[in-house]
Amino acid sequence: DWEAERSRSALAEERERMVALLEQTTLQRHKFFAALSAQLRSPLVSMAGLIEEMLKNDSETSTDEQIAHLNAFVTAGTHLVFTIDDMLALSQKKQKQRGALLPVSMWEVDVEDMVNQMVPLARGLTSRPLDFQVNCEHDLPK
C-alpha cells in the first residue's frame, strides 16, 4: 500500500510539473506570436501607407505597369497583415479550447473583383513574364 501511495504521489507531482510546463510553453508561444506580429505588421503597414501615398502623388508620372505593381504590393501586404492577425488570434486561444471548433463566417464575395486582385499577385510570383489570360464571367452569383 505504501509503495502504491508513493507511486500515485509521484505521478501527481509529475502531472503538476507537466501542467505548469504546458502553461509556461503556452505563455511563451503567445509572447512569440505577439512579438512576431508586431515585427512583421509595423513595416508592412508603413510600406503599404507609403506606397498608397506614392500612388496618389505620382500617378501622372508612373506607367500603368508601375501602378499595377504598386497596387499588387499593397494588396499582398494587406492580405499578409490579415494573415498575421489571424495567426495571433489563433495563438491566443486558451488551451482548454484546443478541441473547440473555430467559428465560420459567411459573406458575399465578388468573384470578379477577387480574380482581378489575384492576377497581379500570381504574376509577381515568378521572375519570368507570364502570358496568361483570365476569363471571368461578369454575371457570377455572389
Side-chain angles (χ1 to χ4, degrees), residues 56-109:
K56 286 180 196 173
N57 297 331
D58 295 339
S59 59
E60 297 89 31
T61 59
S62 300
T63 66
D64 288 343
E65 185 178 3
Q66 289 170 329
I67 291 172
H69 287 304
L70 292 173
N71 280 323
F73 180 84
V74 170
T75 300
T78 301
H79 286 288
L80 190 52
V81 167
F82 286 132
T83 301
I84 292 167
D85 289 344
D86 289 345
M87 286 175 38
L88 182 60
L90 287 172
S91 77
Q92 292 174 339
K93 296 292 181 189
K94 293 183 180 173
Q95 189 68 22
K96 66 180 180 179
Q97 295 174 335
R98 188 176 180 105
L101 297 176
L102 294 176
V104 176
S105 301
M106 292 180 52
W107 61 88
E108 288 186 0
V109 174

Side-chain angles (χ1 to χ4, degrees), residues 22-82:
L22 180 61
E23 288 172 355
Q24 183 182 18
T25 303
T26 300
L27 179 63
Q28 291 302 319
R29 182 189 67 203
H30 171 67
K31 287 180 179 179
F32 169 77
F33 277 115
L36 180 66
S37 172
Q39 293 295 321
L40 291 174
R41 281 182 103 262
S42 297
L44 277 170
V45 170
S46 295
M47 286 188 289
L50 214 90
I51 290 174
E52 287 173 344
E53 282 300 311
M54 288 171 56
L55 286 168
K56 286 180 196 173
N57 297 331
D58 295 339
S59 59
E60 297 89 31
T61 59
S62 300
T63 66
D64 288 343
E65 185 178 3
Q66 289 170 329
I67 291 172
H69 287 304
L70 292 173
N71 280 323
F73 180 84
V74 170
T75 300
T78 301
H79 286 288
L80 190 52
V81 167
F82 286 132

Side-chain angles (χ1 to χ4, degrees), residues 75 79 108-121 134 136-138 140 142:
T75 300
H79 286 288
E108 288 186 0
V109 174
D110 185 339
V111 176
E112 184 178 5
D113 184 48
M114 184 182 298
V115 169
N116 289 334
Q117 288 182 24
M118 294 299 119
V119 168
L121 296 177
V134 177
C136 185
E137 294 191 24
H138 297 286
L140 292 172
K142 292 183 179 185

